[in-house]
Amino acid sequence: MEIHGGKMNLGILQKARVMFYMVTPNETQFEHTSDVPEYVQQATPLFVGMVLLEFFLSWAKNGKISVRINDGITSLSAGVMSRLLDVFVRSLEIYFYIYVWDKFRLCELPWDSAWTWWLSFVGVDFGYYWVHRMSHEVNILWSAHQAHHSSEDYNLTTALRQSLMQKWFSWIFYLPMALFIPPSVFAVHIQFNLLYQFWIHTEYINKLGPLELILNTPSHHRVHHGRNPYCIDTNYGGTLIIWDRIFGTFAAESDKVMYGLTHPINTFEPFAVQFQHLLYIWNTFWSAPGFYNKLSILFKGPGWGPGKPRLGLPEEIPKITGEEKPYDPGMTGFLQIYAVVHFILMLDIYEDMFVIENTLSELALVFRIFYILLTLTALGFFMDQRASAPFLEAIRCSIFLILHNLDLLKPFTDPVGYAVQIFFFVSAALWGMEGIARVISWKTKQQ
């Protein structure tokens, strides 16, 4: 463990313990919020390592990796999108928490007390339970959270399929803690609670004996991600499962779980993954008769309709046979390798942006974010096998070359930079010719 710039850099063992909430109050207590380590950011190597370990286990057990390339890239794309605005606006949860603490706190519990630490642990998890539950039971909030449930697979990349919009309202549920718990203590536990939930997104860990009674486990969370009727609106806990047992939302894993939304969205395009349900609400809202029905569409459950109970009718949930096949338009081996390579190159630009963000102008940040979003969209078009994918890819590769030569997008050092430029030039040329060939073929068929 080292201290750099006033913040603690974690050793590998401590990073691993943080992932499982296996830490003590003494080693994770800080007087000031500015001293709290970026635990989530420092855990990135653990995310990668655990995903690779899951790949290895699935290959050893089944002869293939557990992640479909198209679904895995879509999940990682959602994680990338969810963090992009952080270069402009940091954690809203911490910002508003500090505001309430400064203006309205009723008392000040000691930041270095183990009692305060444990109270914050319980408080954050209790707050998360209600954030999570309301995100399923209130339609307008579900429009944000549904992105996390849109994968029809269940693996560690699914944990990274985060919502772009959920951070804009989740902070509300933690504000009561700001009346008495110091922000520095809250800032620790809001990160630990998130990190704990990463490793439970796996099918390679079975039930964990007596721990199942208290903790949220992979078994419990598999149920939460299921679209089987018995899985709907259950197991909202973050670290603890006791809230579900207390409030009647617990369900144990029994029948084979089929993952995803009850009505699959059948797309890998990242903006559709994030906003398709919001668009559905928009259209339904304006077509609904009467002010009461319009409000109900926003604030009752996703399954609500006129004459139905608040959360809809259970019998309208599509039946599950266990034979459902996930959406998969198919990708050639070449396209899969191509998509992975370009995604990795985009990740290098993405990570570099966060490392040097303080040295970049706002214009440079905007161009980088634009390029990252364009890349994710182009890859989504390929994975959906859209006819316009070659044209968009040719445009994207050309834009990369322009921005790179204008020094607005230049994370690659020479000689790697020259090789990358050649790669993008060849890609732009090949996909441009492919797009033209498709147009000629289409016109020929129309004659």
Side-chain angles (χ1 to χ4, degrees):
M1 179 173 64
E2 300 178 353
I3 305 294
H4 290 286
K7 289 198 174 185
M8 182 171 63
N9 283 340
L10 308 181
I12 186 65
L13 290 179
Q14 191 172 17
K15 289 178 184 177
R17 289 191 293 114
V18 163
M19 294 289 292
F20 298 92
Y21 230 128
M22 297 175 66
V23 291
T24 64
N26 287 341
E27 63 183 323
T28 54
Q29 291 173 324
F30 306 91
E31 184 175 3
H32 304 292
T33 306
S34 58
D35 296 329
V36 177
E38 298 287 351
Y39 289 108
V40 175
Q41 183 175 324
Q42 292 192 43
T44 299
L46 270 295
F47 292 155
V48 175
M50 292 172 72
V51 167
L52 293 176
L53 177 61
E54 189 180 46
F55 284 1
F56 174 78
L57 291 175
S58 63
W59 183 272
K61 182 177 180 180
N62 304 315
K64 61 179 182 179
I65 63 174
S66 59
V67 178
R68 293 179 296 143
I69 296 298
N70 45 22
D71 188 82
I73 287 179
T74 303
S75 293
L76 297 176
S77 296
V80 167
M81 289 178 71
S82 72
R83 283 193 64 207
L84 283 178
L85 291 181
D86 288 353
V87 298
F88 299 112
V89 181
R90 288 302 185 188
S91 173
L92 291 176
E93 291 160 335
I94 301 298
Y95 176 85
F96 286 109
Y97 192 99
I98 291 175
Y99 179 83
V100 172
W101 169 263
D102 287 340
K103 301 291 184 180
F104 305 107
R105 67 177 179 266
L106 301 177
C107 65
E108 185 171 339
L109 297 182
W111 64 268
D112 54 353
S113 166
W115 287 103
T116 305
W117 194 94
W118 284 108
L119 184 61
S120 183
F121 162 74
V122 174
V124 166
D125 203 65
F126 183 70
Y128 178 81
Y129 171 85
W130 287 107
V131 171
H132 201 180
R133 182 169 175 175
M134 291 302 100
S135 296
H136 280 255
E137 296 188 358
V138 177
N139 202 18
I140 191 65
L141 304 186
W142 171 246
S143 70
H145 184 61
Q146 58 80 34
H148 180 62
H149 284 265
S150 60
S151 175
E152 295 177 85
D153 297 341
Y154 190 76
N155 50 61
L156 292 177
T157 67
T158 309
L160 303 175
R161 187 179 286 223
Q162 295 295 313
S163 167
L164 180 63
M165 300 183 288
Q166 189 165 333
K167 67 176 67 177
W168 298 100
F169 64 82
S170 60
W171 53 271
I172 298 171
F173 292 82
Y174 301 107
L175 292 185
M177 295 176 59
L179 299 176
F180 54 94
I181 292 180
S184 62
V185 185
F186 171 77
V188 167
H189 287 283
I190 196 67
Q191 294 188 76
F192 288 175
N193 192 273
L194 176 64
L195 288 170
Y196 178 89
Q197 294 177 58
F198 176 75
W199 72 273
I200 61 178
H201 288 81
T202 184
E203 293 188 292
Y204 286 90
I205 298 177
N206 294 319
K207 294 190 177 183
L208 298 177
L211 294 178
E212 301 280 327
L213 297 173
I214 301 171
L215 297 177
N216 194 12
T217 65
S219 176
H220 295 328
H221 206 58
R222 285 193 289 269
V223 173
H224 176 73
H225 272 261
R227 53 179 159 140
N228 312 54
Y230 86 92
C231 298
I232 303 300
D233 295 337
T234 61
N235 297 3
Y236 297 116
T239 303
L240 302 173
I241 202 65
I242 59 174
W243 313 119
D244 290 283
R245 296 184 184 278
I246 291 171
F247 296 111
T249 53
F250 174 75
E253 187 176 21
S254 55
D255 298 339
K256 177 184 178 182
V257 178
M258 303 303 295
Y259 303 108
L261 302 171
T262 56
H263 299 87
I265 58 176
N266 294 336
T267 183
F268 296 119
E269 198 280 302
F271 282 96
V273 169
Q274 294 287 342
F275 298 114
Q276 55 84 24
H277 192 73
L278 189 63
L279 180 61
Y280 169 78
I281 290 177
W282 174 267
N283 293 330
T284 308
F285 178 87
W286 290 112
S287 63
F291 184 69
Y292 174 79
N293 285 332
K294 291 183 185 298
L295 286 182
S296 296
I297 285 168
L298 296 177
F299 298 109
K300 291 187 178 180
W304 179 85
K308 299 178 184 178
R310 182 176 67 89
L311 298 181
L313 296 169
E315 57 266 29
E316 291 185 348
I317 299 172
K319 302 300 181 186
I320 296 298
T321 65
E323 301 299 324
E324 287 76 11
K325 301 297 181 184
Y327 170 70
D328 192 356
M331 295 177 72
T332 63
F334 166 77
L335 269 182
Q336 291 187 51
I337 294 172
Y338 181 87
V340 169
V341 170
H342 274 279
F343 187 83
I344 291 173
L345 291 173
M346 180 279 302
L347 278 181
D348 188 72
I349 295 171
Y350 169 79
E351 290 295 337
D352 178 78
M353 179 177 68
F354 280 95
V355 171
I356 65 171
E357 62 178 292
N358 293 329
T359 67
L360 295 174
S361 67
E362 289 190 0
L363 182 63
L365 286 172
V366 168
F367 274 119
R368 289 188 180 217
I369 290 173
F370 166 74
Y371 172 75
I372 290 168
L373 292 175
L374 182 61
T375 299
L376 300 180
T377 302
L379 294 179
F381 274 38
F382 270 127
M383 295 184 295
D384 277 346
Q385 296 290 292
R386 298 193 188 186
S388 57
F391 291 106
L392 183 60
E393 180 64 1
I395 292 170
R396 181 188 74 87
C397 292
S398 300
I399 288 176
F400 171 87
L401 293 170
I402 294 170
L403 295 178
H404 188 279
N405 286 305
L406 291 175
D407 289 333
L408 291 171
L409 196 71
K410 197 170 184 178
F412 303 103
T413 57
D414 298 330
V416 175
Y418 290 120
V420 169
Q421 287 187 78
I422 293 170
F423 179 54
F424 273 84
F425 178 81
V426 172
S427 297
L430 289 177
W431 290 117
M433 290 187 290
E434 172 67 16
I436 293 170
R438 289 190 182 188
V439 170
I440 295 173
S441 175
W442 177 79
K443 288 187 174 180
T444 301
K445 292 179 180 179
Q446 299 302 308
Q447 294 176 353

